[in-house]
Amino acid sequence: MDARSIIAAVRAGREISASEARWFGEALNGSAVTDAQAGAFAMAVCLNGLGASARVALTEGMRDSGDVLSWDLPGPVLDKHSTGGVGDPVSLILAPALAACGAYVPMISGRGLGHTGGTLDKLEAIPGYICELGPSRLEHVVKTAGCAIVGATGRVAPSDKRLYAIRDITSTVASIDLITASILSKKLAAGLGGLVLDVKTGSGAFMEKMEDATALAEALVSVANGTGCACSALITDMSQPLASSAGNAVEVRAVMAALSDPKAEKPLRDVTIALGGVLLADASLADDVEAGAEQIAAALSSGRAAEVFAKMVHEMGGPSGFAESWRHVLPEANVLREVTLGAAGFVGAIDTKALGEVVVHLGGGRLRAGDRIDPAVGLSGLVRLGAKVDAKTPVAMVHASDDAKADRAVKAVRKAITMVADPPEAVPLIHARVSA
């Protein structure tokens, strides 16, 4: 096969075969496809799309361009992927909860992207936690703790790394076909038997409109199932932060509260339970979604998930006894600043993306590649939509490294919250479910 003929077919709007798409996906990790040809292919796909079988095959080729893990474990290997949000540490709760229910979870995660927080950045707020593991150590942690949340090595889906960099500079990022192949090639390289997708919609999501989130969820579910990985998706709300905090150490605190107190962080727990219920049902670890949700809820309420999380943290280099010691070992910011709005009414809208940008500018995210993260900064005590407030009601607490940054953050948080005279309609946490 050759790249030119495949590019010409996609450019002309003809459907390429599965074997052609698979070859191209794998050949991206090598000299058989030049950078110019990769860019031309990306543009052709962006303009004309791929057929269903070619979507699956491209993803499989990109997956197979590097290492693909295999497992010999007494339970199913499961994972979850989110399209990104603000104050959204679901992975840190769901992975140990799934492990407590008999699954094994090698969760390959990423760092912050734009205004959205990164799972690895949050975990690295825990002193000593090491996100980069070799295959043998990853296998040991998964077998010992039941789950491991790690970063991808350079040997995982290298074709995606190359194509993503080219898409970034050729304005071809916004393609459902290429987004789907990018997400799933990395996830499926972990040797999964089941996957649940958390596709966000709302003011803090990359896919703000419901129709765009639905199209992406349907594509991801279809392709994942086409590769043989059982997969469903929930479209969840990101018109406000999910947790009461946004940042790194502050979100880990929210996670530990959710793992230790059934009354704490209810929206965060509810979304975690819903995602876990779907995944346990798909993996035949529960009779149905409702039974699966009950199992996840029980793992949280009993403390078993907290025990698994603490074990994983210790196996990954963090402190022992984290389930008890977390209040004393997580970093704290130098400056705390309460935010009030100076007016009475109801919280009618939240610019969640703007709150994510506040965290980034405090130092909790990256403005440039290579920027160091300040794990202690962020926002806590975030108000929720519909809350009734007066002039002195706190709507957030800023955690900053100095007074100047705190002052700027306070102004930005105030600007991000819109007050209304009457209570707004309630916004559901979960908008829809997409299954095969």
Side-chain angles (χ1 to χ4, degrees), residues 40-116:
F41 175 79
M43 185 61 73
V45 172
C46 199
L47 293 174
N48 295 323
L50 294 171
S53 64
R55 272 184 183 176
V56 173
L58 177 67
T59 302
E60 290 175 329
M62 291 168 63
R63 175 199 65 193
D64 295 341
S65 66
D67 293 346
V68 179
L69 300 178
S70 60
W71 302 91
D72 181 16
L73 296 166
V77 178
L78 307 179
D79 198 359
K80 164 258 183 190
H81 176 78
S82 170
T83 56
V86 177
D88 178 24
V90 166
S91 294
L92 278 64
I93 305 173
L94 183 57
L98 289 168
C101 294
Y104 291 85
V105 188
M107 186 175 284
I108 296 177
S109 298
R111 301 193 179 278
L113 181 63
H115 68 280
T116 65

Side-chain angles (χ1 to χ4, degrees), residues 171-183:
S171 295
T172 54
V173 171
S175 159
I176 292 272
D177 297 288
L178 298 179
I179 291 170
T180 298
S182 178
I183 290 171

Side-chain angles (χ1 to χ4, degrees), residues 341 343-349 387-390 395 417-422:
L341 299 179
F346 297 89
V347 177
K388 184 178 182 180
V389 302
D390 60 29
V395 296
I417 298 173
T418 300
M419 298 289 290
V420 294
D422 299 312

Side-chain angles (χ1 to χ4, degrees), residues 54-371:
R55 272 184 183 176
V56 173
L58 177 67
T59 302
E60 290 175 329
M62 291 168 63
R63 175 199 65 193
D64 295 341
S65 66
D67 293 346
V68 179
L69 300 178
S70 60
W71 302 91
D72 181 16
L73 296 166
V77 178
L78 307 179
D79 198 359
K80 164 258 183 190
H81 176 78
S82 170
T83 56
V86 177
D88 178 24
V90 166
S91 294
L92 278 64
I93 305 173
L94 183 57
L98 289 168
C101 294
Y104 291 85
V105 188
M107 186 175 284
I108 296 177
S109 298
R111 301 193 179 278
L113 181 63
H115 68 280
T116 65
T119 297
L120 301 184
D121 298 324
K122 296 167 192 176
L123 285 167
E124 286 181 344
I126 301 172
Y129 194 100
I130 300 171
C131 292
E132 311 302 329
L133 297 183
S136 61
R137 182 62 186 170
L138 173 61
E139 182 178 0
H140 168 79
V141 175
V142 171
K143 285 183 176 179
T144 302
C147 62
I149 306 178
V150 300
T153 70
R155 299 192 300 270
V156 172
S159 284
D160 174 64
K161 183 177 181 180
R162 184 185 181 203
L163 183 58
Y164 190 90
I166 289 169
R167 289 166 57 208
D168 191 36
I169 62 173
T170 56
S171 295
T172 54
V173 171
S175 159
I176 292 272
D177 297 288
L178 298 179
I179 291 170
T180 298
S182 178
I183 290 171
L184 292 178
S185 61
K186 295 190 291 288
K187 280 293 179 181
L188 298 176
L192 305 180
L195 176 66
V196 68
L197 299 160
D198 184 0
V199 180
K200 303 292 185 184
T201 188
S203 65
F206 284 115
M207 297 291 187
E208 291 189 30
K209 296 179 180 178
M210 182 64 183
E211 55 266 34
D212 294 335
T214 301
L216 178 58
E218 290 175 344
L220 287 164
V221 168
S222 174
V223 170
N225 281 284
T227 69
C229 178
C231 181
S232 296
L234 294 182
I235 301 175
T236 67
D237 188 71
M238 191 41 63
S239 57
Q240 60 185 322
L242 183 58
S244 63
S245 301
N248 295 302
V250 291
E251 284 190 48
V252 176
R253 287 192 177 88
V255 165
M256 298 314 297
L259 286 170
S260 58
D261 182 357
K263 296 180 181 179
E265 299 289 344
K266 188 176 185 303
L268 177 57
R269 285 172 61 97
D270 286 351
V271 170
T272 301
I273 289 167
L275 288 164
V278 168
L279 188 49
L280 290 181
D282 283 351
S284 299
L285 285 177
D287 291 337
D288 53 36
V289 171
E290 291 74 21
E294 290 176 2
Q295 290 183 40
I296 296 293
L300 295 176
S301 299
S302 67
R304 288 183 291 125
E307 292 172 4
V308 172
F309 184 76
K311 190 171 187 179
M312 179 193 74
V313 165
H314 185 53
E315 289 288 339
M316 300 288 289
S320 61
F322 189 72
E324 293 77 33
S325 67
W326 60 272
R327 293 178 181 85
H328 310 295
V329 301
L330 289 170
E332 297 182 2
N334 295 328
V335 178
L336 297 180
R337 192 70 55 80
E338 194 174 78
V339 184
T340 57
L341 299 179
F346 297 89
V347 177
I350 297 174
D351 186 341
T352 310
K353 181 178 180 180
L355 293 183
E357 292 290 352
V358 170
V359 175
V360 172
H361 284 83
L362 281 167
R366 296 172 183 82
L367 292 169
R368 294 166 296 276
D371 281 355

Side-chain angles (χ1 to χ4, degrees), residues 394-429:
V395 296
M397 179 72 76
V398 171
H399 300 242
S401 58
D402 59 50
D403 288 325
K405 288 183 178 179
D407 290 341
R408 289 194 292 269
V410 168
K411 292 178 182 178
V413 171
R414 286 174 176 155
K415 188 176 180 181
I417 298 173
T418 300
M419 298 289 290
V420 294
D422 299 312
E425 290 187 15
V427 179
L429 284 172

